[in-house]
Short mmCIF file of all heavy atoms in Angstrom, two decimals:
data_model
loop_
_atom_site.label_atom_id
_atom_site.label_comp_id
_atom_site.label_asym_id
_atom_site.label_seq_id
_atom_site.Cartn_x
_atom_site.Cartn_y
_atom_site.Cartn_z
N ARG A 1331 39.90 -15.32 -56.92
CA ARG A 1331 39.69 -14.93 -55.51
C ARG A 1331 38.23 -14.57 -55.26
O ARG A 1331 37.65 -14.94 -54.25
CB ARG A 1331 40.58 -13.75 -55.13
CG ARG A 1331 42.03 -14.07 -54.92
CD ARG A 1331 42.71 -12.99 -54.09
NE ARG A 1331 42.45 -11.64 -54.57
CZ ARG A 1331 43.24 -10.96 -55.40
NH1 ARG A 1331 44.34 -11.53 -55.88
NH2 ARG A 1331 42.94 -9.73 -55.77
N ALA A 1332 37.65 -13.81 -56.20
CA ALA A 1332 36.27 -13.37 -56.03
C ALA A 1332 35.33 -14.57 -55.96
O ALA A 1332 34.40 -14.60 -55.14
CB ALA A 1332 35.87 -12.43 -57.16
N ILE A 1333 35.55 -15.57 -56.79
CA ILE A 1333 34.71 -16.77 -56.78
C ILE A 1333 34.90 -17.54 -55.47
O ILE A 1333 33.93 -18.02 -54.87
CB ILE A 1333 35.02 -17.65 -57.99
CG1 ILE A 1333 34.50 -16.97 -59.27
CG2 ILE A 1333 34.40 -19.04 -57.85
CD1 ILE A 1333 34.95 -17.62 -60.55
N ALA A 1334 36.15 -17.63 -55.01
CA ALA A 1334 36.41 -18.32 -53.75
C ALA A 1334 35.71 -17.62 -52.59
O ALA A 1334 35.25 -18.26 -51.63
CB ALA A 1334 37.91 -18.40 -53.50
N GLU A 1335 35.63 -16.29 -52.68
CA GLU A 1335 35.05 -15.52 -51.58
C GLU A 1335 33.54 -15.36 -51.69
O GLU A 1335 32.83 -15.37 -50.68
CB GLU A 1335 35.71 -14.12 -51.57
CG GLU A 1335 37.19 -14.15 -51.25
CD GLU A 1335 37.93 -12.90 -51.73
OE1 GLU A 1335 37.37 -12.15 -52.55
OE2 GLU A 1335 39.06 -12.68 -51.26
N ARG A 1336 33.04 -15.21 -52.91
CA ARG A 1336 31.63 -14.89 -53.14
C ARG A 1336 30.80 -16.04 -53.68
O ARG A 1336 29.58 -15.94 -53.76
CB ARG A 1336 31.51 -13.72 -54.11
CG ARG A 1336 32.07 -12.40 -53.59
CD ARG A 1336 31.36 -11.95 -52.35
NE ARG A 1336 31.36 -10.49 -52.22
CZ ARG A 1336 31.13 -9.85 -51.09
NH1 ARG A 1336 30.86 -10.53 -49.99
NH2 ARG A 1336 31.14 -8.53 -51.05
N GLY A 1337 31.46 -17.11 -54.09
CA GLY A 1337 30.73 -18.22 -54.68
C GLY A 1337 30.67 -18.12 -56.19
O GLY A 1337 31.08 -17.13 -56.79
N GLU A 1338 30.16 -19.17 -56.81
CA GLU A 1338 30.17 -19.28 -58.27
C GLU A 1338 28.97 -18.55 -58.89
O GLU A 1338 28.12 -19.15 -59.55
CB GLU A 1338 30.21 -20.74 -58.68
CG GLU A 1338 31.51 -21.42 -58.24
CD GLU A 1338 31.62 -22.85 -58.72
OE1 GLU A 1338 30.57 -23.49 -58.95
OE2 GLU A 1338 32.75 -23.33 -58.86
N ARG A 1339 28.94 -17.26 -58.69
CA ARG A 1339 27.91 -16.42 -59.31
C ARG A 1339 28.16 -16.31 -60.80
O ARG A 1339 29.29 -16.36 -61.27
CB ARG A 1339 27.93 -15.02 -58.70
CG ARG A 1339 27.38 -14.95 -57.31
CD ARG A 1339 27.35 -13.57 -56.73
NE ARG A 1339 27.94 -12.51 -57.54
CZ ARG A 1339 28.48 -11.40 -57.02
NH1 ARG A 1339 28.51 -11.23 -55.71
NH2 ARG A 1339 28.96 -10.47 -57.81
N ALA A 1340 27.07 -16.12 -61.55
CA ALA A 1340 27.20 -16.08 -63.01
C ALA A 1340 28.11 -14.96 -63.47
O ALA A 1340 28.93 -15.15 -64.38
CB ALA A 1340 25.82 -15.93 -63.65
N ASP A 1341 28.01 -13.77 -62.85
CA ASP A 1341 28.83 -12.65 -63.31
C ASP A 1341 30.31 -12.90 -63.05
O ASP A 1341 31.16 -12.52 -63.86
CB ASP A 1341 28.38 -11.34 -62.66
CG ASP A 1341 28.48 -11.36 -61.15
OD1 ASP A 1341 28.32 -12.44 -60.53
OD2 ASP A 1341 28.71 -10.29 -60.54
N LEU A 1342 30.62 -13.57 -61.93
CA LEU A 1342 32.02 -13.85 -61.62
C LEU A 1342 32.56 -15.00 -62.47
O LEU A 1342 33.71 -14.96 -62.91
CB LEU A 1342 32.18 -14.16 -60.13
CG LEU A 1342 31.76 -13.02 -59.19
CD1 LEU A 1342 31.93 -13.46 -57.73
CD2 LEU A 1342 32.56 -11.76 -59.47
N LEU A 1343 31.73 -16.02 -62.70
CA LEU A 1343 32.15 -17.10 -63.60
C LEU A 1343 32.39 -16.58 -65.01
O LEU A 1343 33.31 -17.03 -65.70
CB LEU A 1343 31.09 -18.21 -63.62
CG LEU A 1343 31.06 -19.16 -62.44
CD1 LEU A 1343 29.85 -20.07 -62.53
CD2 LEU A 1343 32.34 -19.99 -62.37
N LEU A 1344 31.56 -15.63 -65.44
CA LEU A 1344 31.75 -15.05 -66.77
C LEU A 1344 33.05 -14.26 -66.82
O LEU A 1344 33.78 -14.32 -67.83
CB LEU A 1344 30.57 -14.18 -67.14
CG LEU A 1344 30.55 -13.61 -68.57
CD1 LEU A 1344 30.71 -14.71 -69.61
CD2 LEU A 1344 29.28 -12.82 -68.82
N ALA A 1345 33.36 -13.54 -65.75
CA ALA A 1345 34.63 -12.82 -65.71
C ALA A 1345 35.80 -13.80 -65.77
O ALA A 1345 36.79 -13.56 -66.47
CB ALA A 1345 34.72 -11.97 -64.44
N LEU A 1346 35.70 -14.91 -65.04
CA LEU A 1346 36.75 -15.94 -65.07
C LEU A 1346 36.90 -16.51 -66.48
O LEU A 1346 38.01 -16.63 -67.00
CB LEU A 1346 36.41 -17.05 -64.09
CG LEU A 1346 37.34 -18.26 -64.10
CD1 LEU A 1346 38.74 -17.88 -63.60
CD2 LEU A 1346 36.76 -19.40 -63.26
N ALA A 1347 35.77 -16.85 -67.10
CA ALA A 1347 35.82 -17.43 -68.44
C ALA A 1347 36.42 -16.46 -69.44
O ALA A 1347 37.25 -16.85 -70.28
CB ALA A 1347 34.41 -17.84 -68.88
N GLU A 1348 36.03 -15.19 -69.37
CA GLU A 1348 36.56 -14.19 -70.30
C GLU A 1348 38.05 -13.99 -70.09
O GLU A 1348 38.81 -13.79 -71.05
CB GLU A 1348 35.81 -12.87 -70.12
CG GLU A 1348 34.40 -12.88 -70.66
CD GLU A 1348 34.37 -12.82 -72.17
OE1 GLU A 1348 34.41 -13.90 -72.80
OE2 GLU A 1348 34.33 -11.72 -72.74
N ALA A 1349 38.50 -14.04 -68.83
CA ALA A 1349 39.93 -13.90 -68.57
C ALA A 1349 40.70 -15.09 -69.17
O ALA A 1349 41.72 -14.91 -69.84
CB ALA A 1349 40.19 -13.79 -67.06
N LEU A 1350 40.20 -16.28 -68.93
CA LEU A 1350 40.86 -17.48 -69.46
C LEU A 1350 40.88 -17.48 -70.98
O LEU A 1350 41.90 -17.78 -71.61
CB LEU A 1350 40.15 -18.73 -68.94
CG LEU A 1350 40.34 -19.06 -67.46
CD1 LEU A 1350 39.29 -20.06 -67.00
CD2 LEU A 1350 41.74 -19.59 -67.19
N ALA A 1351 39.74 -17.16 -71.59
CA ALA A 1351 39.67 -17.13 -73.06
C ALA A 1351 40.55 -16.02 -73.62
O ALA A 1351 41.18 -16.19 -74.67
CB ALA A 1351 38.23 -16.95 -73.51
N GLY A 1352 40.60 -14.88 -72.92
CA GLY A 1352 41.44 -13.78 -73.38
C GLY A 1352 42.91 -14.12 -73.34
O GLY A 1352 43.68 -13.71 -74.23
N ILE A 1353 43.32 -14.87 -72.32
CA ILE A 1353 44.72 -15.31 -72.23
C ILE A 1353 45.00 -16.35 -73.32
O ILE A 1353 46.05 -16.32 -73.98
CB ILE A 1353 45.01 -15.88 -70.84
CG1 ILE A 1353 44.93 -14.76 -69.79
CG2 ILE A 1353 46.39 -16.56 -70.78
CD1 ILE A 1353 44.92 -15.25 -68.36
N GLY A 1354 44.07 -17.28 -73.49
CA GLY A 1354 44.15 -18.22 -74.61
C GLY A 1354 45.08 -19.40 -74.44
O GLY A 1354 45.35 -20.10 -75.41
N ALA A 1355 45.55 -19.65 -73.21
CA ALA A 1355 46.40 -20.82 -73.00
C ALA A 1355 45.58 -22.09 -73.21
O ALA A 1355 44.43 -22.16 -72.77
CB ALA A 1355 46.99 -20.80 -71.59
#
Side-chain angles (χ1 to χ4, degrees):
R1331 285 200 311 266
I1333 289 170
E1335 295 159 344
R1336 295 300 209 198
E1338 295 184 334
R1339 287 183 356 208
D1341 61 329
L1342 299 179
L1343 282 172
L1344 186 54
L1346 175 67
E1348 288 285 88
L1350 289 163
I1353 293 168

